[in-house]
Amino acid sequence: MVAASAAVWIAFSASAAADTFRPTRFDDPAAAKCKPSNCSLRGAVSAANGHKGKDKIELDGGTYELTLGETAPNDNRGGDLDIKGEVRIRGEGATATTVDANSGSRVMSLLKDAPKTIERLTVTGGDADVGGGILVASAQEDFETRKHTLRNLLILENSATVNGGGIHTGSHPLKISRTRIVGNFAVSGGGGVYMGSTPTAALADPPLSISATTVNNNQAGLGAGLYLDGADPGGAPHDPRADIVNSTFAYNVATVSGGGLASILGADLNAEHTTVAYNAADADNVGGGAGGGIYQSSDADFDIGNALVKENTVGTSGDGPQCAGEFLFDGVITPQGTPGLCVFLGGSHIQPETEPRIGGLADNGGPTPTIEIQADSLAIGWNESFCPATDQRGVSRPATDCDAGAYERP
């Protein structure tokens, strides 16, 4: 189908200068090309891959269908979009522009070190062994590389037969912001986001950063919302590291452990002003899973500060509805349920709160849904000096004594 709008092609003289490509059709023809009057999304990606410069691909409102079967790996002739060059792919908004793989392949692979930005669109219908929605390939060399950026996206209903239903990432620096990661599924780990050990070291600190993002209603065996897996498959020497700020993990479901967040085997996870609520572990009620909200094991470093951890659950054979493992923790938490299952390390300030005193996940303003804290919550005016300038919605926070979690009550 051909887009109703006229084709737009802006070329900037020299071959090394940036080009802007605007697809004119929403289907996925074989031998895809990108001519000014006949350009598919796949053709635009191939054109940008073959062109030097900071290119742009501008998408109209509508659904861009990926229907070609996978061909040779990473040749962009079929299957997922193999994105190699320095490019920004921009839609008209996540409610307006969609890229749909129709369960035939992954949606996108971000390959090679040239920085890429994907923004203002929905990524859906992906199905792969790892990274059903988006696969971020490991950095090619051990040096500081510029970050890939995912922002103002909806990563919706993608699946993986192993890890990373929504997003699978490694050592290449990646920034996720103002994004919803919803309804994704992985058999093993990271229904929403998975980060594993890698053979190369990205010097960025940390390789993965998440801000103003909501991760909800994802499913996996381990770490249904986010899973940092330091298991070193194949002897990969570099542990995963991630920072989270002003973000919400809610209604994620793990059949084993770590409904909201999980970090194992040397991984390093730091979450500040994060809300983890209404998640579940041991959902299959067999095997004794743990940590409905947050889960740590085997020497992973897990620091969750100024946090709100509430109303998480485990199945009938599970333990530790709010948390299981060892944490540097300060914030407000529902009493853990099983004495000793949550070990809070020194230097923490913990306030147990027996009543929910939070709302459900809702549109409270800002780019992503949040969980409101009620006026009588102990999270109000949390006595802590570290306060980001704004909360997840972009609402200003006071310089000190701001609220725990991702939501600042006016």
Side-chain angles (χ1 to χ4, degrees):
M1 183 173 70
V2 178
S5 61
V8 177
W9 183 290
I10 306 170
F12 295 90
S13 61
S15 61
D19 274 1
T20 297
F21 306 97
R22 185 184 291 276
T24 61
R25 56 193 301 167
F26 294 105
D27 61 347
D28 193 19
K33 303 294 184 182
C34 191
K35 297 180 179 180
S37 61
N38 186 12
C39 179
S40 68
L41 173 55
R42 188 181 302 278
V45 170
S46 291
N49 287 344
H51 179 263
K52 294 181 180 180
K54 300 177 181 180
D55 298 319
K56 299 177 183 178
I57 298 174
E58 299 286 350
L59 304 181
D60 289 328
T63 299
Y64 293 84
E65 308 278 0
L66 304 181
T67 56
L68 295 177
E70 189 67 71
T71 55
N74 303 333
D75 67 357
N76 199 46
R77 294 180 181 271
D80 62 325
L81 298 173
D82 299 310
I83 305 166
K84 302 176 183 179
E86 183 171 1
V87 65
R88 185 185 75 177
I89 301 177
R90 177 183 174 91
E92 293 190 350
T95 60
T97 303
T98 297
V99 181
D100 188 348
N102 293 285
S103 300
S105 68
R106 178 182 299 119
V107 183
M108 299 178 181
S109 292
L110 307 187
L111 306 172
K112 298 189 176 182
D113 288 335
K116 300 151 186 53
T117 296
I118 315 296
E119 61 183 353
R120 292 178 52 81
L121 54 86
T122 291
V123 173
T124 192
D127 191 357
D129 54 350
V130 297
I134 297 176
L135 172 67
V136 181
S138 295
Q140 302 299 302
E141 299 186 35
D142 293 335
F143 60 84
E144 183 76 49
T145 53
R146 288 174 289 171
K147 288 188 176 184
H148 297 328
T149 300
L150 307 177
R151 64 178 172 231
N152 296 107
L153 298 179
L154 174 59
I155 311 294
L156 176 68
E157 296 178 356
N158 304 280
S159 62
T161 56
V162 186
N163 295 316
I167 299 169
H168 186 292
T169 187
S171 61
H172 197 291
L174 175 67
K175 179 179 180 180
I176 303 171
S177 66
R178 299 168 65 88
T179 287
R180 286 193 69 187
I181 302 171
V182 184
N184 302 282
F185 171 79
V187 173
S188 182
V193 182
Y194 174 90
M195 184 179 191
S197 297
T198 59
T200 55
L203 301 181
D205 191 14
L208 173 63
S209 63
I210 299 173
S211 64
T213 288
T214 295
V215 181
N216 65 281
N217 294 90
N218 302 284
Q219 299 180 51
L222 295 164
L226 169 67
Y227 185 35
L228 264 61
D229 180 8
D232 298 341
H238 301 289
D239 291 322
R241 296 176 291 128
D243 278 2
I244 304 169
V245 66
N246 276 339
S247 293
T248 298
F249 292 76
Y251 301 103
N252 301 290
V253 177
T255 54
V256 186
S257 297
L261 302 168
S263 183
I264 71 165
L265 292 166
D268 187 345
L269 177 57
N270 178 62
E272 288 284 347
H273 283 285
T274 295
T275 296
V276 183
Y278 305 117
N279 303 283
D282 188 48
D284 58 5
N285 297 307
V286 297
I294 55 179
Y295 177 76
Q296 176 274 348
S297 74
S298 304
D299 298 321
D301 292 325
F302 199 140
D303 185 351
I304 181 164
N306 307 294
L308 192 63
V309 179
K310 302 278 289 179
E311 305 308 305
N312 301 287
T313 61
V314 291
T316 56
S317 67
D319 288 309
Q322 307 312 318
C323 51
E326 296 184 350
F327 308 91
L328 282 172
F329 181 93
D330 74 80
V332 177
I333 188 169
T334 301
Q336 64 193 51
T338 303
L341 200 60
C342 307
V343 177
F344 298 122
L345 304 175
S348 300
H349 302 281
I350 303 161
Q351 179 65 59
E353 186 171 56
T354 57
E355 298 298 323
R357 293 178 180 152
I358 57 173
L361 189 67
D363 181 1
N364 296 306
T368 48
T370 52
I371 291 176
E372 180 183 16
I373 54 177
Q374 297 174 358
D376 59 349
S377 173
L378 297 175
I380 300 292
W382 183 252
N383 186 19
E384 185 61 45
S385 59
F386 172 70
C387 293
T390 63
D391 72 354
Q392 181 173 337
R393 301 165 297 159
V395 172
S396 295
R397 291 188 188 265
T400 60
D401 299 333
C402 56
D403 300 341
Y407 180 97
E408 184 75 20
R409 187 173 180 86

